[in-house]
Amino acid sequence: MPTKTPPSIIAIDGPAASGKSTLGLKLANELGYLFFDTGVMYRAVTWIALDHHIDIMNEKAVTALAENSPIDVVPASKSDGRGCDVLVAGRDITWETRLPEVDANVSVVSAYAGVRAALSQQQRRIGQRGEVVMVGRDIGTVVLPEADLKVYLDATAEERAKRRFDELTARGAKVDYDDILAKVSERDRIDSTRDIAPLKAADDAVVVDSNILNVDEVFERVLNLCK
Ligand code: CDP
């Protein structure tokens, strides 16, 4: 029987902490593809704005940062739990992009039209080269609507908050479950109600419910879709 080539462009979208990055990285490693987590670019712009003491509500200033900051996302240089390295002008800011201040402000930044235009153009250029697993909120709908396989990974807010709680606790952070649940829900609310590129499943996406599946089961399910 002839072997089918796996889809070249794979888009994985879904709400906060639904397991997109874990799935995307595993899948990219399995297929020998590039893993590209687009969320880190929005996080990097947010961190630069906070670091420069720029008011997050100042759309013009934040947009200028997105347009002019040399943000690089490259394969992980260390095995410390990161999926990739995030560099700004050569400085490694991978863990800074995960700070609670970034979590709290990133959805405001990512709703700005100019920020989205600047970042999604770069994401599209990288994605169009193929052999890529790209993860985000609008990959299947806006960034790469021509993707060969689109997955929308979902789970209840409670389950996702529990996973984020476990992830942060494992990293040694002192966190409160109810606080995480409130923040994850607020980020989803902003992400799915914004005017431009709101979070939603593409019409031709395969929706995978990760409430009832563990990491390995989600991976197997999506790998089967690639075969
Ligand atoms: O890892 P987690 O699911 O918590 O978030 P993320 O994927 O790192 O994305 C952080 C934020 O960036 C999201 O809450 C969105 O506001 C924004 N984002 C977006 O608007 N579009 C994307 N393609 C990726 C992320």
Side-chain angles (χ1 to χ4, degrees):
M1 213 172 71
T3 49
K4 195 173 152 264
T5 46
S8 180
I9 301 179
I10 302 175
I12 304 176
D13 291 302
S18 56
K20 304 177 300 287
S21 303
T22 308
L23 169 66
L25 186 59
K26 244 170 119 69
L27 198 60
N29 286 342
E30 175 75 22
L31 300 172
Y33 284 11
L34 173 74
F35 169 64
F36 196 100
D37 180 358
T38 58
V40 301
M41 297 184 85
Y42 293 95
R43 288 175 176 275
V45 173
T46 307
W47 180 78
I48 300 167
L50 294 170
D51 190 55
H52 285 47
H53 303 288
I54 289 171
D55 178 4
I56 293 293
M57 302 315 286
N58 185 341
E59 180 167 355
K60 214 169 151 209
V62 174
T63 301
L65 279 183
E67 288 167 347
N68 302 316
S69 302
I71 301 167
D72 262 328
V73 183
V74 297
S77 64
K78 291 183 194 149
S79 330
D80 59 357
R82 62 181 67 199
C84 52
D85 283 7
V86 189
L87 308 172
V88 173
R91 174 173 168 200
D92 185 340
I93 61 151
T94 309
W95 289 117
E96 282 83 344
T97 65
R98 299 282 150 196
L99 288 170
E101 310 81 284
V102 173
D103 268 358
N105 290 288
V106 65
S107 289
V108 171
V109 168
S110 71
Y112 292 149
V115 171
R116 297 208 75 80
L119 300 190
S120 51
Q121 192 188 21
Q122 297 176 48
Q123 293 158 10
R124 184 160 171 71
R125 190 170 40 75
I126 294 164
Q128 280 178 321
R129 295 183 197 142
E131 302 210 333
V132 66
V133 179
M134 196 169 277
V135 169
R137 300 290 186 288
D138 60 340
I139 310 306
T141 50
V142 175
V143 177
L144 295 165
E146 73 272 44
D148 306 299
L149 173 65
K150 301 179 186 178
V151 174
Y152 187 86
L153 191 58
D154 212 352
T156 60
E158 287 75 14
E159 176 62 26
R160 291 183 284 113
K162 183 183 165 293
R163 289 182 200 159
R164 189 52 48 97
F165 175 85
D166 292 344
E167 183 188 323
L168 292 169
T169 308
R171 259 195 252 141
K174 286 229 173 320
V175 283
D176 176 63
Y177 169 82
D178 289 330
D179 182 49
I180 293 181
L181 176 60
K183 285 181 174 147
V184 159
S185 304
E186 174 61 2
R187 203 138 59 81
D188 288 349
R189 189 191 64 75
I190 303 176
D191 291 348
S192 48
T193 57
R194 68 186 175 215
D195 291 338
I196 306 154
L199 165 69
K200 65 169 184 204
D203 291 338
D204 50 351
V206 180
V207 178
V208 176
D209 178 356
S210 75
N211 273 315
I212 46 165
L213 303 171
N214 66 28
V215 171
D216 290 336
E217 289 165 339
V218 168
F219 174 65
E220 286 306 322
R221 172 93 206 276
V222 176
L223 193 59
N224 277 331
L225 295 171
C226 295
K227 285 180 180 161

